[in-house]
Amino acid sequence: TQLLEQSPQFLSIQEGENLTVYCNSSSVFSSLQWYRQEPGEGPVLLVTVVTGGEVKKLKRLTFQFGDARKDSSLHITAAQPGDTGLYLCAGARTGGTSYGKLTFGQGTILTVHP
Amino acid sequence: ETGVTQSPTHLIKTRGQQVTLRCSSQSGHNTVSWYQQALGQGPQFIFQYYREEENGRGNFPPRFSGLQFPNYSSELNVNALELDDSALYLCASSPPQGYNEQFFGPGTRLTVL
């Protein structure tokens, strides 16, 4: 059972275009993290969002956590070839057997062409 | 500040063998989690260690086991390897406080033939 659904699975765009990646769940998360992963390497943490409705910006990347803390989005403005990679969202829940476990989406493979 | 390190980088084993993967946590981090990432998929949680004890486990059989040492480093052991165990194994460490932020190592690529 995939608790976190990411869309789209693949995204191929030209340099300069904008894009949005979505991460949806029927479960509530105490926090949600976005990672970027390059081939053969581990995921690199981009941001953690904690509060419902929270918006965080990291240069050209804007992250939003849904009001109900069940969904999130990543928006990239004026994409560059260096943004190419696998983008992963991961949710964390506190308490019980879920504590400490990050549930990942299946990822979005982004390719930005020069 | 040294990040999370893992060894070895790559490993090739045959079915039925046993393997041990190692992880050194980031400085100041006392919690270590292990994940399995199959090709083209997101990482799947195996288990987490805190204060040298298992603190949560995902849907993995008992032949996946682990250890955490007093210096917070950790090992992942897999017995009776199966072909489906071929994957990238990721270790992540977390600081004592925070929102369960996890910082990943580069991973160990395991191939089972």
Side-chain angles (χ1 to χ4, degrees), chain B residues 36-106:
Chain B
Q36 180 195 67
Q37 186 177 24
L39 210 56
Q41 296 183 23
Q44 297 290 314
F45 176 74
I46 303 174
F47 42 54
Q48 182 182 81
Y49 278 83
Y50 172 67
R51 290 187 175 179
E52 302 176 52
E53 290 193 2
E54 190 178 286
N55 179 45
R57 187 179 184 96
N59 258 354
F60 281 81
R63 57 190 186 84
F64 285 78
S65 63
L67 283 173
Q68 186 181 31
F69 301 98
N71 66 354
Y72 307 128
S73 66
S74 177
E75 284 182 357
L76 164 65
N77 299 291
V78 187
N79 293 323
L81 284 167
E82 301 176 1
L83 296 180
D84 284 349
D85 295 334
S86 295
L88 181 67
Y89 287 85
L90 295 162
C91 169
S93 69
S94 309
Q97 290 157 355
Y99 298 103
N100 200 30
E101 293 157 313
Q102 299 188 13
F103 297 84
F104 285 82

Side-chain angles (χ1 to χ4, degrees), chain A residues 31 33 35 37 42 48 100 102, chain B residues 35 37 48 99-102 105:
Chain A
S31 66
Q33 299 169 27
Y35 291 86
Q37 185 177 22
T48 299
L102 278 183
Chain B
Y35 292 82
Q37 186 177 24
Q48 182 182 81
Y99 298 103
N100 200 30
E101 293 157 313
Q102 299 188 13

Side-chain angles (χ1 to χ4, degrees), chain B residues 7-44:
Chain B
S7 63
T9 308
H10 298 88
L11 205 49
I12 299 175
K13 292 284 190 178
T14 56
R15 262 188 316 176
Q17 285 189 310
Q18 177 265 342
V19 70
T20 298
L21 310 182
R22 294 178 175 83
C23 170
S24 291
S25 62
Q26 188 167 323
S27 176
H29 291 190
N30 60 357
T31 302
V32 172
S33 304
W34 286 91
Y35 292 82
Q36 180 195 67
Q37 186 177 24
L39 210 56
Q41 296 183 23
Q44 297 290 314

Side-chain angles (χ1 to χ4, degrees), chain A residues 1-94:
Chain A
T1 305
Q2 189 69 42
L3 291 182
L4 268 174
E5 295 287 341
Q6 266 186 256
S7 63
Q9 210 170 334
F10 301 94
L11 204 48
S12 180
I13 62 172
Q14 292 297 125
E15 183 176 359
E17 292 184 13
N18 302 331
L19 66 112
T20 302
V21 177
Y22 300 93
C23 181
N24 296 297
S25 175
S26 57
S27 301
V28 175
F29 293 100
S30 58
S31 66
L32 196 136
Q33 299 169 27
W34 283 92
Y35 291 86
R36 179 166 165 264
Q37 185 177 22
E38 304 225 17
E41 297 181 12
V44 175
L45 180 64
L46 297 174
V47 78
T48 299
V49 285
V50 176
T51 308
E54 183 176 3
V55 177
K56 279 192 174 178
K57 292 194 175 185
L58 186 66
K59 297 182 182 177
R60 295 176 291 101
L61 278 61
T62 302
F63 304 86
Q64 186 161 6
F65 202 11
D67 291 341
R69 292 185 290 139
K70 292 182 180 181
D71 55 87
S72 182
S73 63
L74 156 62
H75 182 79
I76 301 179
T77 304
Q80 298 176 1
D83 295 328
T84 294
L86 174 66
Y87 288 83
L88 294 158
C89 64
R93 287 184 277 181
T94 56

